Amino acid sequence: MNDNRLTRIIEVDETTASQEIEGGVHIPVLVREVIRYLTPRDTGVYVDGTAGLGGHATHILEESAPSGRLIGIDLDVDALAISKTILCGFGERCTLIQGNYANLNEQLKTLSVGKLDGVLLDLGVSSLQVDTPSRGFSFSQSGKLDMRMDRNQPLSAAEVINDYCEHALTDIFLKFGEERWSKKIAYRICRARQIKRITTTLQLAEIVEEALPKSSYRGRIHPATRIFQALRIHVNNELTNLETGLDAAVSCLKPGGRICVISFHSLEDRIVKHRFRALSRACICPPSIPKCVCRHTPSLQILTKRPISPTVEEIERNPRSRSAKLRVAVKIRES
């Protein structure tokens, strides 16, 4: 997804209110660990590239008081409207932008911001998106088959399910959902849509469930879980954006600046792990070359040899955090 709306800046003031956060509290994942590794300070400039509902951003701004600055970026205008309310008390210290963190270099240039002291990426789908049936991210309630994080983009999950050929659907389910029954599920979807267009989350979930023998998922996750994950990743081009965004974030950090990435499934975590390793290696020559000739200089030092997972206490408070993994690196020099 190529988002050219790089700088739709959301002014943070005290005039915005949102009913969507009344009666509920957003719980940011691994927030203590993020703050411990990001080490916000009052002279720093930080980016939350997936600002969501402003949970992590609030803590970063509090820890970097009185003069630290935060730039919050998100594709979802609904989430940014809520963040605007939550973060209004920080005034000019906080700038919110509707856009894609993969375009971080251009966004910072537009804001006349130099190098950063820290970047946080909290990947995946937000609680707001999952809990809003009309967004189509979840099959727990019936909703329109949508899944767009940026609702201005043309491609939705409905177009993918109803218009893509069987081979393309199989490829998406296998590549982004790691679903072993991808071919069978794609076949059943194509048969079902010949009779009636598939327009809701529950329609799709039912088709997937009926496509598989019950013995294949009894006692495990719902059989549609991986299909919904795969669709969401494809519709929002999430893995390509992550690859581009990681390089953009590292290039925007000053030496000593830190990058924290929270992932929620193995595809994301694998990309983060491999990119951090590549940027922290002193040599990138192929194994077949006996002597280093690449003259590669590492730009990162990895601070978490193993990913950090939530504590038992955090998982009890917030079950959705159970699959979260945090990886952190510090920039040691310009590449």
Side-chain angles (χ1 to χ4, degrees):
M1 180 174 56
N2 226 343
D3 190 347
N4 293 320
R5 298 177 303 283
L6 299 179
T7 56
R8 188 178 173 210
I9 300 172
I10 313 296
E11 293 183 7
V12 179
D13 55 37
E14 299 183 4
T15 63
T16 303
S18 172
Q19 301 298 316
E20 295 185 66
I21 60 174
E22 290 185 0
V25 177
H26 172 56
I27 307 173
V29 173
L30 291 165
V31 65
R32 288 183 299 181
E33 292 81 358
V34 165
I35 294 302
R36 174 158 57 91
Y37 277 99
L38 200 61
T39 62
R41 60 182 187 275
D42 65 358
T43 57
V45 181
Y46 303 91
V47 163
D48 185 344
T50 47
L53 303 184
H56 289 105
T58 297
H59 288 269
I60 294 170
L61 284 162
E62 288 174 346
E63 293 293 325
S64 64
S67 57
R69 183 178 179 187
L70 181 125
I71 299 157
I73 304 167
D74 207 285
L75 284 167
D76 193 330
V77 293
D78 294 343
L80 285 173
I82 295 175
S83 292
K84 181 178 176 180
T85 299
I86 292 171
L87 302 172
C88 65
F90 296 103
E92 294 181 354
R93 291 179 56 208
C94 179
T95 303
L96 298 178
I97 298 176
Q98 194 270 330
N100 194 323
Y101 68 83
N103 300 314
L104 182 59
N105 286 287
E106 292 88 346
Q107 290 157 344
L108 295 182
K109 286 178 185 177
T110 301
L111 295 173
S112 300
V113 172
K115 295 292 185 177
L116 302 169
D117 295 275
V119 175
L120 168 65
L121 301 177
D122 181 7
L123 306 175
V125 65
S126 73
S127 297
L128 173 68
Q129 291 162 340
V130 170
D131 294 336
T132 305
S134 62
R135 301 299 300 272
F137 287 96
S138 171
F139 49 81
S140 60
Q141 301 179 65
S142 183
K144 183 179 178 181
L145 197 57
D146 193 327
M147 300 192 190
R148 292 173 298 168
M149 293 180 179
D150 177 0
R151 288 197 275 187
N152 290 313
Q153 76 170 51
L155 183 67
S156 73
E159 276 67 50
V160 176
I161 288 297
N162 288 284
D163 300 338
Y164 280 29
C165 69
E166 183 179 333
H167 175 76
L169 290 177
T170 300
D171 186 59
I172 289 169
F173 299 156
L174 187 60
K175 183 178 179 181
F176 299 137
E178 299 179 306
E179 172 55 67
R180 61 180 292 223
W181 299 95
S182 295
K183 188 172 183 179
K184 187 171 185 179
I185 293 169
Y187 171 74
R188 290 296 291 268
I189 287 171
C190 291
R191 284 191 60 188
R193 73 190 189 189
Q194 291 176 353
I195 301 169
K196 182 181 180 182
R197 189 171 175 85
I198 304 166
T199 58
T200 72
T201 56
L202 292 187
Q203 270 182 283
L204 177 59
E206 184 177 342
I207 292 167
V208 174
E209 187 171 6
E210 290 177 351
L212 305 183
K214 286 187 169 50
S215 59
S216 68
Y217 60 85
R218 185 179 291 117
R220 301 171 61 199
I221 62 173
H222 191 283
T225 301
R226 292 190 181 93
I227 300 304
F228 273 64
Q229 172 187 297
L231 275 174
R232 191 200 80 220
I233 289 172
H234 176 76
V235 166
N236 296 288
N237 203 21
E238 292 180 37
L239 300 188
T240 299
N241 286 333
L242 175 57
E243 291 170 347
T244 304
L246 286 173
D247 286 341
V250 171
S251 71
C252 291
L253 286 173
K254 62 177 66 170
R258 298 186 173 197
I259 176 169
C260 299
V261 185
I262 301 173
S263 61
F264 288 86
H265 58 76
S266 59
L267 296 175
E268 294 172 337
D269 184 59
R270 199 175 301 140
I271 289 172
V272 178
K273 178 178 69 174
H274 290 168
R275 196 64 193 133
F276 278 10
R277 283 182 178 176
L279 293 173
S280 65
R281 288 168 58 188
C283 173
I284 57 173
C285 292
S288 58
I289 298 179
K291 185 178 179 180
C292 178
V293 295
C294 68
R295 298 182 181 179
H296 179 259
T297 302
S299 56
L300 288 183
Q301 177 186 346
I302 297 172
L303 299 182
T304 50
K305 290 184 179 180
R306 294 172 182 255
I308 297 172
S309 299
T311 62
V312 173
E313 292 76 19
E314 178 170 0
I315 294 172
E316 288 176 351
R317 289 196 314 271
N318 180 16
R320 287 179 178 170
S321 71
R322 64 187 178 276
S323 58
K325 287 181 169 56
L326 170 65
R327 293 185 185 270
V328 185
V330 58
K331 188 167 185 177
I332 54 178
R333 60 175 62 87
E334 296 293 347
S335 56

